Structure formats: structure tokens, C-alpha cells
Amino acid sequence: MNFNGLESIIVELNALNFEFQILALSSLIILSIGLLRVSTKFGIPSLLIFLTIGMLAGSDWILKIWFNDADLTRKVGSVALAFILFSGGLETDWGKVKPVLWKGISLGTVGVLLTCLIVALFAIFVMGFDPIIGFLLGAIVSSTDAAAVFNVLRTSNIGMRKGLTSLLELESGSNDPLAVLLTTSVLGFVGTSAPTWDALAWTIFQQFTLGIILGLLLGYWIYRGMNRIKLDYEGLYPVLLSASVLFVYSATDLIGGNPFLAVYIAGIIIGNRSFVHKRSNVRFMDGIGWLMQIVMFLTLGLLVFPSKIPSVAALGIAFSVFLTVIARPAAVFLALIGFKEVDWREKLLVSWVGLRGAAPIILATFPYAKQLPESEMIFHIVFFTVLTSLLLQGSTIPFAVRILGLEASLEQRASYPFEFENKDKSDTQLLEYIVPYGSASVGKFVYELDFPENSLITLIYRGDSHLVPTGKTKMEDGDVLLVLTPEGAEGKIREILSRMGDRRDS
């Protein structure tokens, strides 16, 4: 027998299989991107499209792609979630987050704990689950999903008033760490090596403390490094930033901190400072964030066996309805009970936008590592819950905003064709400001704005047009100003533009 010939055939088949896998993956990504316009047109959350495509390509349905590696899914999902959180943090305006900081922290901690407890009690005493399974289900679905919330809020084309968008993004970006910690802690009680309560409390303290400290320190060091290093090739800066995300994630995890919290805080620190090639890097990371969302949801869709969902449909419906209608609103109202400025309509909207997405599904893969007999049932119940959340809540967010009377004009995002590169390392920076609707600056000439000395409006983004202003250019509602200004003058400019009343309409 010619073993050499047989070996060559096997090598060729393996190579063909790899090429087919690459072809299948790239085709699914291209199809997902192509259907984005469809999802926007009909108000369907794009993440639901990605998830459905993954399911259709899976072993139960059309393409019959066999995939059953829960551990690989967990690893891919964790890294993807780190990039999504970093990208979200990078585009988070600290000036908008600061007023809602304590509300977001309360929702991200107290809200998560209450959701976990309420859902667990329902699962144990109403659905009849074992206490460990009940608390595991509660922990897995206790947080809103950053990928889902970022995606839906930024593609729904609707604005919300009173900083609600910032509050929802802050909550979704900061509550995943506690959900991960609760899930792993509950799993720790499975078997003979259950942790003591004081050990559990210490772990929570350590994870959050180290996550915050390392996020702040590493974020600042990355920002300093991006400005100090002088690379000959501009294309290396996005590579450096991407590697930095992985460094923050892995270093924090190895030291014992919460890696998801660290990368989100690092993103906020870097995104709110001026660094070399900032706009191109932010655009690159936004693209990486989209790619990670698509890959993550496709992978999760492939892992699901749709034929097994009907067997848990009844449990899934009861679980989803209770989580959406009872547990989430109760947790939100209780977590925000000390904030008198948040009225009942805003609390209702925050409750409804508590989307579940990839994070709960990723957490549902954790029981596989413990080889729990109920792990498959847990996974499909959680998956059913996520489908319900994306389909029902995600598609009705614009309607909920309007019916509650919380709609506001959508802020424009500038798309100017250049960026400022500070080669002399001075304190000058190019910043973006939006003239709020109702601002007293509307109708005034540029020379009347009383901006700080040495601050210059270089470009105005108005609708689909770019205007080069003169002293006689009048401000209009929603103008996006590109201002060249010395460091330290940002607050003064923001204060001038945010003054309301006494406007001079033309």
C-alpha cells in the first residue's frame, strides 16, 4: 500500500476543509453586513440578524456546519466582548457620563444584584428549579448586554432626553463584570470546594478594585505611549491600540482583577483625551467592534441547536416574561429609588431598554466547564430569553421612547475629511462640540460667542455640509463645531454652548 499517496490525499482534504471554513466564515460575515440595511429599514436589531444567520448555518438547518465547542465559544466571546466594551468606552463622552455616574453605578451593582435575586427566587419557587440552578440562571441574566445596547441605541436613529442614552450605555458597559463574578461564584458552590462567604466578599472587592485601578493606570499609560512613540507607519497605531486592549484584558485577569471593567475604563480614559491619529484609531476600533459583534453572534448562533429550543419554549416564555415585566423593572425602580430627579417615565424606559444579548449567552457556556447535567437546558433557556429580548424589546425601543414622551433631537456625528496631528506636542487639540437644541448661542455670530482666547472654530458640520466659518457665520441648532483650542479651555466652551434661553433666532 502506498502510504505516502494516502498521506498526501489526507493533507489535501484537510487543506480543503480549512479553505471551506474560511469561505463559509467570510460569506456569513459579508451576508451579515449586507443585511444591516434591511435591519435598519424594518427596525429589527442587527444583532438578531447575526444570530439568526448563525443558526441557519448551523448543524440543524441549511448549511449543516457542525459546531459544538462551548469552551471555544466562551473564549471567542470573552475576547470579542472586551473589544466591544473598549470601543464603547472609547466613544463615551465623560462630560455626558459624569452627571449620570452614580445612577449608572447603582444600576450596574445594586440593579444587577437585585435582578439576580428576584429571578433566582422565581426560578426556585415558581419554576421548581434546584437552588443552585435558580441562582445560576439569575446570575447569568442579571446584566444588560453592552453589545446589544450600544448597537440598538446607535442604530435606532432616535434621541433621548436628560442623558438617558449616556446612562444606558454606562450601565451596560459597567454591569457585565458583576454578572460574570456572580456566575463564577455560584458555580463555585457546585461540588465540594464551595467558597466561604467571606472569601466570596473578598473576591468581589478584589475584582472590582483591581479592575478599576488597572483600567485607570493602563488606560493612562496607553494614552501617554500613543503620544510619545514615533512610528514611521501610521497603520501601526491601530495595531498598537488593538494589542493594548488584549494586554489590558489579559494582564488584569492574571493579576486577579475584572478584565471587562478594566478595558471599559481604559477605553473611557483614552477616548476622552487627545492622542495621535485619534479619529482614524477611533474609526478603526469602531470597525473592530462591529466585526467582533458579528463574529460573536454568528458563533453563538452556530452553537445553538434550534431543534432543542421547542422543548424549553414553555419555560423560556415564562422566564422571559418574568424577567422583562417584573424582575428588571423592580430592580431598576429600587436601584434608582434615591435619585429623585429620575421620574417614573425614565425608570420605565431604562427598564425596557435592559436588553439581553451576547453576554448572557456567553455566561451560559460557563456551566459546560463544570459539566453540569443541566447545562444544555440552561443554555437554551438563556438563548430563548435573548431572542425574546432582542425581538420584542430591541425592535420597540423607538416606540417606547415616543410613547413615554422622552424623545429628543438626535445629535449629529461629524464626518469631516481630516484630522489634526499635533506634531509639536503642544497643548493644542482639535475637539468636537455640538450646539444643543435651544442653546442661547443659536442665532449668534461666531465673533459674539466669547470663546476662550486662542480657540478657533475651524469647521462647522451642518446637515450634510461642511462650512468654513467667518466671524459673521451664525450658529444654528445641531451644528457640530470643530474647535482648535488649548488644553483646559474645553469646559468653558461647553459651558457657553450649553447655556439655554435668550437665543437670537434669525
Side-chain angles (χ1 to χ4, degrees), residues 14-27:
N14 286 335
L16 180 63
N17 183 47
F18 173 74
E19 290 168 357
F20 172 76
Q21 292 170 351
I22 295 298
L23 176 64
L25 177 61
S26 59
S27 299

Side-chain angles (χ1 to χ4, degrees), residues 86 89-90 211-212 214-220 222-223 244-245 248 260-272:
F86 182 81
L90 205 61
I212 292 170
L214 290 172
L216 291 170
L217 288 178
L218 294 176
Y220 179 74
I222 293 168
Y223 148 72
S244 299
V245 176
V248 173
F260 299 107
L261 183 60
V263 293
Y264 182 63
I265 290 176
I268 293 177
I269 295 296
I270 298 168
N272 283 272

Side-chain angles (χ1 to χ4, degrees), residues 45 47 141 143-153 168 171-172 175 328 350-358 360 386 388-395 397:
L47 302 182
V141 300
S143 72
T144 58
D145 184 69
V149 173
F150 288 160
N151 180 280
V152 171
L153 291 181
L168 289 163
E171 180 203 7
S172 66
N175 63 12
R328 168 67 178 177
V350 171
S351 301
W352 191 249
V353 189
L355 300 177
R356 269 61 190 178
V386 169
T388 305
S389 178
L390 290 175
L391 188 60
L392 179 61
Q393 294 171 268
S395 59
I397 286 176

Side-chain angles (χ1 to χ4, degrees), residues 436-503:
Y437 289 81
S439 169
S441 299
V442 173
K444 290 185 177 180
F445 295 113
V446 167
Y447 75 83
E448 296 178 303
L449 292 177
D450 195 28
F451 274 10
E453 189 177 352
N454 298 328
S455 295
L456 176 68
I457 302 176
T458 60
L459 194 72
I460 297 177
Y461 181 79
R462 180 176 295 166
D464 295 325
S465 305
H466 299 96
L467 308 177
V468 178
T470 66
K472 289 287 189 179
T473 301
K474 282 187 177 182
M475 295 293 99
E476 293 186 8
D477 285 310
D479 278 352
V480 180
L481 312 181
L482 206 59
V483 183
L484 197 62
T485 182
E487 195 168 324
E490 312 96 276
K492 177 66 174 176
I493 296 174
R494 189 174 285 110
E495 178 189 344
I496 291 171
L497 295 176
S498 61
R499 290 173 188 160
M500 297 294 169
D502 300 325
R503 52 187 285 167

Side-chain angles (χ1 to χ4, degrees), residues 364-421:
T365 64
F366 284 25
Y368 278 94
K370 285 281 186 179
Q371 298 182 339
L372 290 184
E374 302 88 348
S375 59
E376 190 172 288
M377 177 194 65
I378 292 171
F379 181 84
H380 284 92
I381 287 177
V382 172
F383 188 86
F384 190 91
T385 303
V386 169
L387 280 180
T388 305
S389 178
L390 290 175
L391 188 60
L392 179 61
Q393 294 171 268
S395 59
T396 57
I397 286 176
F399 174 74
V401 173
R402 294 188 186 98
I403 200 171
L404 289 172
L406 296 172
E407 186 177 8
S409 299
L410 187 66
E411 291 184 346
Q412 300 182 67
R413 296 178 66 87
S415 179
Y416 42 86
F418 62 88
E419 69 175 299
F420 173 66
E421 184 177 354

